[in-house]
């Protein structure tokens, strides 16, 4: 049976240390409690980023979150209004909703060009707290730390055109208004898409 790939343990450890160091550097009240919750009550640091699109490996969510943050810091060169602390918070926590969201599963996969199937380990969604996507990340974050309006809006609308619920809000006008009002919101959506399609797959 083909098993789920995983980052080397030292890579997960280094990435986790980088993530925690960045988050603590914000000095945000409650951040230590947030990190403790993420470490002890969730699988955030070993979870995948998706079931098939990107980061489909142990540690994928951690890698994706760091990639989005790093892309935001790159965008900041051209968008001078991006706040360094907010980029850390939004980049690292935009997909907090994916903690305790996936479970390992086994699927039968047809082997291309052959008349046989093979068992393959993978991931399936097991949403224990079905609240949505961006809004769920905002809620979980704010159970521990305060978010500015721009941070909350940026996390809420980070899915961009992939957010099915956006059309329910006056045909997408709320999302467009968020991007026009808050530069970080638009930058986060672009960074998330770029990370998912390119950076996470390197």
């Amino acid at each position: 049976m083909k098993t789920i790939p995983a980052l080397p343990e030292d890579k997960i450890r280094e990435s986790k240390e980088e993530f925690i160091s960045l988050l603590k550097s914000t000095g945000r009240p409650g951040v230590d409690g947030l990190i403790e919750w993420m470490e002890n009550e969730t699988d955030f640091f070993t979870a995948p980023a998706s079931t098939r699109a990107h980061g489909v490996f142990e540690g994928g969510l951690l890698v994706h979150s760091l990639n989005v943050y790093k892309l935001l810091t790159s965008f900041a060169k051209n968008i001078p209004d991006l706040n360094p602390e907010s980029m850390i918070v939004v980049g690292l926590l935009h997909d907090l909703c994916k903690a305790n969201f996936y479970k390992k599963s086994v699927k039968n996969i047809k082997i291309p060009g052959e008349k046989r199937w093979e068992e393959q380990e993978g991931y399936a969604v097991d949403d224990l707290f079905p609240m949505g996507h961006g809004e769920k990340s905002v809620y979980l974050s704010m159970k521990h730390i305060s978010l500015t309006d721009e941070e909350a809006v940026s996390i809420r609308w980070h899915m961009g055109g992939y957010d099915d619920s956006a059309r329910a809000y006056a045909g997408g006008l709320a999302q467009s208004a968020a991007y026009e009002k808050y530069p970080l919101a638009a930058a986060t959506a672009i960074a998330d898409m770029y990370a998912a399609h390119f950076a996470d797959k390197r």
Side-chain angles (χ1 to χ4, degrees), residues 18 22 25 65-92 183-184 187-188 190-192:
E18 181 182 8
L22 282 165
S25 74
S65 302
L66 285 167
N67 282 337
V68 171
Y69 162 70
K70 290 170 184 176
L71 285 163
L72 284 174
T73 61
S74 179
F75 293 165
K77 300 169 187 174
N78 299 309
I79 310 174
D81 294 331
L82 298 189
N83 179 285
E85 183 179 312
S86 291
M87 285 189 286
I88 293 172
V89 169
V90 172
L92 298 185
L184 181 59
T188 303
I190 295 169
D192 183 54

Side-chain angles (χ1 to χ4, degrees), residues 19 44 54 61 63-69 72 87-98 133-138 141 151 154-156 158-159 188-189 191-193 195 200:
F19 182 102
F44 183 92
H54 66 104
L61 180 56
V63 169
H64 172 69
S65 302
L66 285 167
N67 282 337
V68 171
Y69 162 70
L72 284 174
M87 285 189 286
I88 293 172
V89 169
V90 172
L92 298 185
L93 301 179
H94 74 282
D95 268 348
L96 190 57
C97 58
K98 292 181 178 179
H133 191 79
E135 56 270 54
K136 181 177 173 182
S137 291
V138 170
S141 297
E151 291 164 358
S154 298
I155 292 172
R156 168 61 185 94
H158 77 266
M159 287 292 288
T188 303
D192 183 54
M193 182 171 63
D200 294 355

Side-chain angles (χ1 to χ4, degrees), residues 106-176:
V106 176
K107 301 176 183 178
N108 286 315
I109 306 295
K110 189 175 186 308
I111 306 304
E114 299 182 28
K115 294 181 179 180
R116 68 184 182 89
W117 295 72
E118 181 179 85
E119 284 191 342
Q120 182 172 319
E121 196 176 36
Y123 292 101
V125 171
D126 184 24
D127 194 352
L128 302 178
F129 184 43
M131 188 182 188
H133 191 79
E135 56 270 54
K136 181 177 173 182
S137 291
V138 170
Y139 174 78
L140 292 174
S141 297
M142 293 189 76
K143 290 184 77 171
H144 301 275
I145 63 173
S146 295
L147 299 177
T148 67
D149 289 349
E150 183 170 31
E151 291 164 358
V153 169
S154 298
I155 292 172
R156 168 61 185 94
W157 294 114
H158 77 266
M159 287 292 288
Y162 294 96
D163 191 332
D164 292 335
S165 68
R167 289 183 287 278
Y169 289 86
L173 293 178
Q175 188 182 72
S176 294

